[in-house]
Amino acid sequence: MHKLKLTRLLLKTFFAYRSGLTRLDYLPYRIFIDVTSKCNLRCVMCPQSIEGLIKPGLMDFDLYKKVIDEIGSFANEVILHLSGEPLLHPCLLEMVRYGVRSGLTVSFNTNATVLTEEKSEKLIESGLARITFSFDGYTKEEYEQIKVGADFEKTLNKILMFLKLKKRLRSKRPYTVVRVVELKPHPSNLPDKDNFIRMLKSNGLNHLQIVPSHSFGGYFNELDRARGSSYTPCSFLWYSLGILWDGKCVPCCVDITGKLGLNNVKDSTISEIWNSDGIVKLREAMTREMVNFDPCRGCDMLWQDKVLGIRKRYLFEFLRESFLA
């Protein structure tokens, strides 16, 4: 999407959000697609660690193409994950390429545990715009306590391999991010943390994103910690849409089990779903602070400090990701 067009769309979205409009005359420009709900790890702050909560599955490639063919005319970015590990999908590379050919900015998050040199080279050459490595911990002990099932040295070496390969191929893409969830705040001058950051940046990492844990819509008890801020309606409902592996649409990237499930893209177009009665009622409830339903009532994101409807600490990340071309 042309940057000028995207800027106008962001301004229109901001106006609609601030005005409390619930039927929108534009379509979502950020689409989350859960290409697979399977994951090989059980991270302690992720719903995947709750036994039996998430039904494992793979999105059919034909269904994926149907979605991309529709959103290619109006969306800016497609993010190929919600609850699962996208590298576990056997068609991920083809999915990336198909999205890129459709003119979309394609990105995804990965725990990097199943990354190989061959996959890395093909992803670097695919046109993938951004890859975010979830690597939660600065030491072996901390990392392996959080990311249950992963090995600190092996995974870190895979990320470093990717960064070095990208540099060797002299490729600007994909923009590389390492995202660290800090379950508890770390001192900024912690030696292990300093060495970790220095090592990654010396190997060409574009950005290190440090974030606190959140409640995942009430699955984890983080709400009390966030109550210091005033209520702010969730802006997701005004610019994004999620699609689970089986085609069910969800209005928020946190609703990974489909509690707020809308129509299925197998039966309805995204254009129809975007202003359907279900999502319109959600927007109305959100603007009136009447979120007495799951997962919204347990979501700490409604109580975090925001600027223009975006969590303050993520505003620059949001803009960077939106305009990443």
Side-chain angles (χ1 to χ4, degrees):
M1 182 180 290
H2 192 278
K3 288 183 173 61
L4 180 59
K5 182 178 179 181
L6 178 58
T7 300
R8 289 172 178 165
L9 187 53
L10 287 171
L11 291 172
K12 177 179 277 193
T13 303
F14 174 66
F15 173 79
Y17 169 76
R18 295 289 292 179
S19 302
L21 300 180
T22 56
R23 291 192 183 274
L24 308 175
D25 64 355
Y26 58 87
L27 293 168
Y29 49 86
R30 178 174 284 189
I31 306 292
F32 293 84
I33 300 179
D34 207 16
V35 295
T36 179
S37 59
K38 295 181 178 182
C39 190
N40 58 327
L41 301 185
R42 293 295 178 263
C43 304
V44 297
M45 69 295 192
C46 175
Q48 287 281 5
S49 64
I50 303 173
E51 187 68 31
L53 179 67
I54 299 172
K55 180 182 178 182
L58 294 168
M59 178 172 278
D60 181 78
F61 191 39
D62 287 336
L63 178 59
Y64 174 80
K65 289 193 292 184
K66 177 184 183 297
V67 172
I68 296 298
D69 289 345
E70 183 181 353
I71 69 174
S73 62
F74 58 80
N76 177 60
E77 180 180 14
V78 59
I79 303 169
L80 305 183
H81 77 276
L82 271 173
S83 66
E85 168 49 55
L87 286 174
L88 295 178
H89 199 298
C91 298
L92 179 66
L93 184 64
E94 290 81 359
M95 289 174 159
V96 171
R97 288 171 175 162
Y98 195 84
V100 172
R101 286 198 300 269
S102 299
L104 293 163
T105 297
V106 183
S107 64
F108 64 82
N109 285 24
T110 174
N111 60 42
T113 56
V114 296
L115 194 65
T116 64
E117 186 169 353
E118 181 182 5
K119 287 180 182 178
S120 297
E121 184 170 354
K122 289 179 178 179
L123 285 169
I124 291 168
E125 294 174 341
S126 69
L128 182 69
R130 184 179 69 256
I131 186 168
T132 299
F133 299 110
S134 297
F135 197 90
D136 307 311
Y138 305 112
T139 65
K140 179 179 178 66
E141 180 182 17
E142 180 183 30
Y143 172 85
E144 293 181 4
Q145 284 179 350
I146 295 172
K147 303 198 83 65
V148 178
D151 181 282
F152 179 84
E153 289 87 359
K154 288 181 179 179
T155 310
L156 182 57
N157 285 334
K158 288 174 183 286
I159 295 172
L160 292 174
M161 172 268 295
F162 186 96
L163 294 173
K164 291 173 183 177
L165 184 57
K166 179 189 166 189
K167 187 182 294 187
R168 190 164 74 241
L169 294 173
R170 299 181 180 180
S171 178
K172 292 183 178 180
R173 287 194 169 198
Y175 188 88
T176 53
V177 179
V178 166
R179 185 174 188 265
V180 180
V181 174
E182 290 189 347
L183 297 187
K184 58 182 180 179
H186 291 66
S188 57
N189 60 346
L190 190 70
D192 289 324
K193 181 175 180 177
D194 287 342
N195 292 335
F196 179 82
I197 294 171
R198 192 179 302 113
M199 173 182 56
L200 289 170
K201 293 197 171 180
S202 67
N203 280 283
L205 182 72
N206 293 117
H207 180 59
L208 179 73
Q209 184 183 37
I210 299 174
V211 300
S213 59
H214 62 86
S215 68
F216 254 111
Y219 288 114
F220 301 97
N221 187 22
E222 296 291 328
L223 190 56
D224 291 340
R225 192 173 74 181
R227 282 285 187 183
S229 304
S230 60
Y231 173 87
T232 309
C234 176
S235 57
F236 279 124
L237 301 177
W238 276 264
Y239 71 85
S240 70
L241 200 66
I243 304 170
L244 303 183
W245 67 270
D246 60 359
K248 180 189 289 185
C249 276
V250 292
C252 170
C253 64
V254 175
D255 187 19
I256 57 178
T257 59
K259 288 183 177 179
L260 298 173
L262 306 172
N263 288 358
N264 196 298
V265 293
K266 295 176 182 176
D267 308 314
S268 305
T269 67
I270 291 174
S271 301
E272 293 168 341
I273 295 168
W274 182 239
N275 277 314
S276 62
D277 289 344
I279 197 168
V280 167
K281 288 178 181 177
L282 286 172
R283 292 184 188 122
E284 289 173 350
M286 195 65 64
T287 57
R288 296 175 185 173
E289 198 176 336
M290 296 176 65
V291 287
N292 57 347
F293 44 82
D294 291 327
C296 301
R297 78 173 121 208
C299 186
D300 58 339
M301 294 185 186
L302 297 174
W303 300 91
Q304 293 182 6
D305 291 331
K306 298 182 182 67
V307 176
L308 308 180
I310 305 297
R311 283 175 292 164
K312 185 184 294 184
R313 65 180 297 126
Y314 300 129
L315 179 61
F316 292 114
E317 277 85 0
F318 175 83
L319 293 173
R320 181 191 296 113
E321 291 171 2
S322 295
F323 286 96
L324 188 63

